[in-house]
Amino acid sequence: MAPMGVSVSRGRVLLCILLATGMVYYLYSRFGSSGRWAMGSRESSVDLRQLLSLAIKAAEEGGRAVREVKESDSLGQRSKGKTKEGADEMVTAGDLQSHRKMTSLFSNTFPHIKVISEEHDNSEMDKSLVWNYEIPSLIQESIGNARMVSAESVTVWIDPLDATQEYTENLKHFVTTMVCVAVDGKPVVGVIHKPFSKYTAWAMVDGASNIHPRKSYNEKTPTVIVSRSHAGAVTSYSKGAFGNDTIIIPAGGAGYKVLSLLDTGEDKQPDSADLYIHVTFIKKWDICAGNAILKALGGQMTTIEGDAIDYSDSPSNSGGLIATIGMDHQALLKRLPDLKSLVPKMKT
């Protein structure tokens, strides 16, 4: 029989081994083999700095696909249906390739976060597309400590190719890829990437940004940027609100229009506008990223009635929009009474 002291020692060793084994199992189940926190349940939290970093990577990877398809001259364009106004809604190989890359990156990294993309196809996610969880130093230095939110509260909106019609017409400067992170329906992180200039704008509400407002805006007689498809109709109403000297800029892509309100710092700055107005139905993947960026910079994007746009689930925004920065948003809304009544009647 072993001495009592030896038995006690062996018991303690065994207990320590069992405790250590349990701890290893717990850590492995929570962090995964990579050593990073695993999204193991819908109650898990996620760092907004990580979502911003991944959103930038996804937008740029999607942009690469958009560019490569265009350079290969194999757009494979077709109509995927009709808009509410009866126009063909185009989709190309660029849209679909970008969609697969962008959604795969998010789904592989954060499988329990809701992702809503403009495009849909039957292809499986590309499991080879992975992210290394690295937060760029600029984001770490600018934002500082982790910004944790519940994964269940997050909705990621992806526009794999904004301005598809212009993409087919070789008007490449209008084309963007966009990612937006909404928390409890509010836009918090926005990324707009221009594939053909390789410029990326990003911002986080109450965090940081790499883009800025311009130094001044003309509130009295603003330059208004609008969709190319209904420029004529909006021109008459905008001039009715702001005067005959109002300049109207027709442009493609909601991402491009938001960038036109800001100082991008690019060698070739987008058209400079003071106000972005849209009077018809528009999808939320078109506008969420721009909304987040403007909000982060102190601007606003609302419906024409002045209501905040909710980004929880439904993709449709039927209230039109007005986007401003550096101006009295509510005062500008009051100058558009005729445009408000126009929203349900407007045809492109």
Side-chain angles (χ1 to χ4, degrees):
M1 178 181 293
M4 183 176 293
V6 174
S7 297
V8 171
S9 297
R10 286 177 178 172
R12 287 176 177 170
V13 170
L14 180 59
L15 179 60
C16 289
I17 291 172
L18 289 172
L19 288 172
T21 302
M23 182 61 71
V24 169
Y25 177 80
Y26 173 78
L27 291 174
Y28 186 91
S29 66
R30 296 297 286 173
F31 286 83
S33 59
S34 67
R36 302 181 180 97
W37 187 260
M39 296 297 293
S41 71
R42 290 194 178 275
E43 289 72 40
S44 297
S45 295
V46 61
D47 187 348
L48 283 174
R49 299 177 308 163
Q50 287 188 328
L51 290 178
L52 170 58
S53 303
L54 180 54
I56 293 170
K57 180 175 177 60
E60 292 178 349
E61 285 295 321
R64 182 177 292 108
V66 166
R67 195 168 57 249
E68 288 173 352
V69 168
K70 185 66 174 175
E71 290 168 353
S72 71
D73 200 26
S74 54
L75 294 186
Q77 65 194 69
R78 59 179 173 82
S79 173
K80 61 181 179 181
K82 298 286 186 180
T83 65
K84 282 186 173 292
E85 295 78 25
D88 283 325
E89 193 169 4
M90 303 300 296
V91 64
T92 69
D95 295 82
L96 297 178
Q97 292 289 351
S98 176
H99 159 78
R100 289 172 193 141
K101 285 183 178 292
M102 295 173 75
T103 55
S104 291
L105 275 165
F106 270 96
S107 296
N108 293 339
T109 308
F110 299 110
H112 294 302
I113 284 180
K114 183 192 298 182
V115 176
I116 302 176
S117 172
E118 176 178 7
E119 305 304 338
H120 304 277
D121 62 21
N122 296 322
S123 301
E124 293 184 0
M125 293 294 101
D126 186 346
K127 298 298 184 183
S128 68
L129 288 170
V130 294
W131 180 55
N132 62 7
Y133 292 81
E134 182 179 350
I135 301 174
S137 58
L138 176 60
I139 292 175
Q140 291 195 54
E141 293 166 4
S142 302
I143 299 173
N145 296 331
R147 298 278 300 279
M148 307 305 293
V149 296
S150 163
E152 198 170 36
S153 69
V154 172
T155 303
V156 176
W157 293 86
I158 290 177
D159 193 339
L161 199 169
D162 189 37
T164 299
Q165 182 63 45
E166 286 74 18
Y167 181 60
T168 66
E169 296 172 5
N170 210 35
L171 299 172
K172 296 183 289 187
H173 58 291
F174 290 131
V175 175
T176 62
T177 58
M178 295 188 286
V179 181
C180 177
V181 177
V183 178
D184 293 324
K186 298 176 181 178
V188 173
V189 167
V191 177
I192 301 176
H193 174 66
K194 297 173 71 176
F196 297 100
S197 68
K198 302 182 182 179
Y199 169 80
T200 304
W202 58 263
M204 178 193 291
V205 175
D206 297 326
S209 68
N210 73 336
I211 189 170
H212 308 283
R214 297 202 311 271
K215 291 182 179 179
S216 63
Y217 295 86
N218 186 343
E219 190 166 343
K220 184 177 180 180
T221 310
T223 296
V224 182
I225 194 161
V226 303
S227 172
R228 294 171 70 222
S229 60
H230 56 246
V234 180
T235 294
S236 59
Y237 286 93
S238 296
K239 290 192 173 183
F242 304 118
N244 290 329
D245 293 333
T246 303
I247 298 171
I248 306 297
I249 301 175
Y256 178 90
K257 295 184 188 78
V258 168
L259 292 181
S260 76
L261 303 179
L262 303 170
D263 180 4
T264 65
E266 294 177 272
D267 292 336
K268 188 175 181 182
Q269 171 78 19
D271 291 308
S272 290
D274 302 302
L275 190 64
Y276 168 24
I277 297 176
H278 190 88
V279 295
T280 56
F281 178 90
I282 192 167
K283 294 295 182 68
K284 291 176 184 176
W285 45 67
D286 290 313
I287 59 176
C288 187
N291 196 340
I293 289 174
L294 287 175
K295 186 177 178 182
L297 299 177
Q300 291 192 63
M301 180 186 288
T302 67
T303 67
I304 291 178
E305 295 291 340
D307 298 323
I309 301 169
D310 182 85
Y311 296 94
S312 298
D313 197 357
S314 170
S316 302
N317 176 53
S318 58
L321 69 84
I322 177 169
T324 66
I325 189 165
M327 295 194 285
D328 187 333
H329 190 84
Q330 295 302 317
L332 287 167
L333 286 171
K334 291 177 181 177
R335 296 169 68 181
L336 298 169
D338 293 335
L339 198 55
K340 293 178 184 179
S341 64
L342 179 68
V343 173
K345 303 175 184 178
M346 175 67 71
K347 300 294 182 182
T348 58

